[in-house]
Amino acid sequence: MPAAPATPAAPAVVSDSPEIRWRLTSGFPKSLDTLYGAAEMFAKSVSEATDGRFQIQTFAAGEIVGTPQALDAVANNTVEMAHTASYYYVGKDPTYGILTAAPFGLNTRMQNSWFYQNGGIDIANEFYGKAGLYALPGGNTGTQMGGWFRKEIKTVQDLSGLKMRIAGIAGNVMQKLGVVPQQIPGGDIYPALERGTIDAAEWVGPYDDEKLGFYKVAPYYYYPGWWEGGAMIKFFFNKEKLASLPKSYRAVIEAAAAYANIDMTAKYDARNPGALRRLVGGGAQLKPFSQEIMEACLKAANEFYEETSAKNAEFKKVWDNMKAFRNEGYLWFQVAEYTYDNFMIRARARGL
């Protein structure tokens, strides 16, 4: 079996390059090894590419600041950088939300293409820069699951009054269908489900969900998480600190971030299948959202985009660009990717 890919080549760092020590606060606990591990991989890559002259110490959520304070900590230079999802800060501005994952927006490959090849990094940083931040893609979970439910959800009416742990823009959209969104930290979800304080909860996908044991108290496992067709995590830097680095160190950071970005998706794609099998074997009942529910959610999402774009020019600028790219992307995906994937799914079901 071939070895795992090595850290990508970085520019040579000369012996008189400065010794720099930074701190990185993660938006995730260490128990979520794929999410938190991306920050550790990034720091290791930077150190190795600079012969240890540029060291970045990683801290889990809560060790320096909690997840809700991570971006402010970077902006005010409490720490030099963070690794987190910007949709945790949607309360500041909904634009933070769609720059992680837009309901019925870009899938993972489209996000990478939009950020790297269609000016998405510049578009995002025009927005982030106003808060003193600069961001680079730093990992993607792929399309997430639709969450864990204590009862079956067959119709749109079944959503009415449902108390669901769901964050950000997805909560705004679900609220239009009668869901009562709840903001609950990951560690508090299980007891809330167990006690019936909430009726449902979304998290990430099989590999991470398995760790939290939701299937024991909410057996219905729905898919897909249409609000996260691909959740783009990012490395956030204090804009002035980043600008002060030597050009070679900037290049190292960009290479290390890109490596961590693609590696996260690869890890989830490798680990989710086995976890899904174990969850179903443990009693989880795997179910798709009905066509009726999916179409109602899409209609509600489009209403949200129209309403928000009408009152937020920055949101509109990002969403209009992203939506146009999505529409072109699916023009291509339906020709080859969709046909190939669906053939293989049908072939597998027939045992071929």
Side-chain angles (χ1 to χ4, degrees):
M1 180 180 292
T7 302
V13 176
V14 297
S15 58
D16 62 348
S17 295
E19 292 191 4
I20 295 176
R21 301 289 181 269
W22 275 11
R23 297 192 302 171
L24 178 158
T25 183
S26 173
F28 312 103
K30 292 180 180 179
S31 59
L32 297 178
D33 57 327
T34 303
L35 287 164
Y36 178 77
E40 293 184 312
M41 171 180 288
F42 169 83
K44 182 174 183 287
S45 298
V46 169
S47 176
E48 290 179 350
T50 61
D51 287 332
R53 301 184 75 82
F54 190 177
Q55 296 284 337
I56 299 172
Q57 187 175 5
T58 60
F59 295 87
E63 290 184 340
I64 298 178
V65 295
T67 299
Q69 293 80 39
L71 292 193
D72 287 337
V74 177
N76 64 30
N77 205 26
T78 298
V79 294
E80 289 80 11
M81 62 178 297
H83 182 242
T84 191
S86 72
Y87 64 11
Y88 292 144
Y89 314 97
V90 70
K92 293 176 177 288
D93 189 307
T95 313
Y96 281 102
I98 57 172
L99 285 170
T100 293
F104 297 102
L106 307 178
N107 66 22
T108 297
R109 282 178 54 184
M110 288 178 189
Q111 279 191 324
N112 278 332
S113 184
W114 184 73
F115 275 103
Y116 289 125
Q117 296 295 325
N118 202 60
I121 289 177
D122 292 336
I123 292 169
N125 282 312
E126 183 178 342
F127 171 74
Y128 291 137
K130 294 174 183 178
L133 304 167
Y134 185 90
L136 290 171
N140 202 303
T141 65
T143 302
Q144 296 194 4
M145 292 293 284
W148 299 89
F149 292 74
R150 288 164 54 89
K151 65 177 184 178
E152 286 192 77
I153 304 297
K154 297 179 179 179
T155 67
V156 174
Q157 286 71 33
D158 291 334
L159 295 172
S160 182
L162 191 84
K163 297 188 295 294
M164 182 176 184
R165 185 273 179 192
I166 187 167
I169 288 175
N172 296 132
V173 174
M174 290 289 257
Q175 198 167 21
K176 288 179 173 288
L177 301 175
V179 171
V180 183
Q182 307 288 307
Q183 302 283 351
I184 300 175
D188 297 334
I189 296 174
Y190 183 96
L193 279 171
E194 185 176 36
R195 293 192 301 267
T197 306
I198 58 174
D199 305 302
E202 59 87 25
W203 189 240
V204 178
Y207 181 69
D208 285 345
D209 290 3
E210 182 183 27
K211 298 174 187 294
L212 300 178
F214 298 143
Y215 69 94
K216 299 174 185 176
V217 290
Y220 299 103
Y221 198 21
Y222 278 88
Y223 64 90
W226 45 262
W227 48 88
E228 295 183 81
M232 177 68 78
I233 315 302
K234 294 187 185 69
F235 291 105
F236 287 92
F237 306 88
N238 179 283
K239 190 175 178 180
E240 292 183 359
K241 282 286 188 179
L242 184 67
S244 71
L245 291 176
K247 287 180 64 177
S248 61
Y249 283 9
R250 284 282 301 265
V252 165
I253 277 177
E254 290 173 2
Y259 179 55
N261 180 46
I262 196 67
D263 185 73
M264 182 185 290
T265 304
K267 282 177 176 169
Y268 274 120
D269 284 347
R271 296 171 179 177
N272 277 330
L276 185 59
R277 285 183 180 277
R278 292 190 296 272
L279 286 167
V280 171
Q285 297 186 43
L286 194 62
K287 294 181 176 292
F289 286 126
S290 68
Q291 185 73 11
E292 174 196 346
I293 289 174
M294 291 292 287
E295 289 181 1
C297 290
L298 176 58
K299 180 176 182 291
N302 287 336
E303 289 174 357
F304 173 83
Y305 291 133
E306 290 178 8
E307 293 164 0
T308 308
S309 293
K311 58 188 179 185
N312 187 323
E314 290 183 319
F315 180 96
K316 176 176 170 53
K317 179 178 180 179
V318 175
W319 172 240
D320 284 352
N321 190 292
M322 191 179 287
K323 180 173 67 173
F325 191 79
R326 177 201 65 183
N327 293 344
E328 283 294 297
Y330 277 112
L331 177 66
W332 156 240
F333 268 68
Q334 72 184 11
V335 172
E337 294 286 342
Y338 179 84
T339 305
Y340 173 76
D341 289 345
N342 275 274
F343 171 80
M344 291 304 299
I345 290 168
R346 293 193 300 270
R348 177 182 175 277
R350 292 164 55 199
L352 299 178

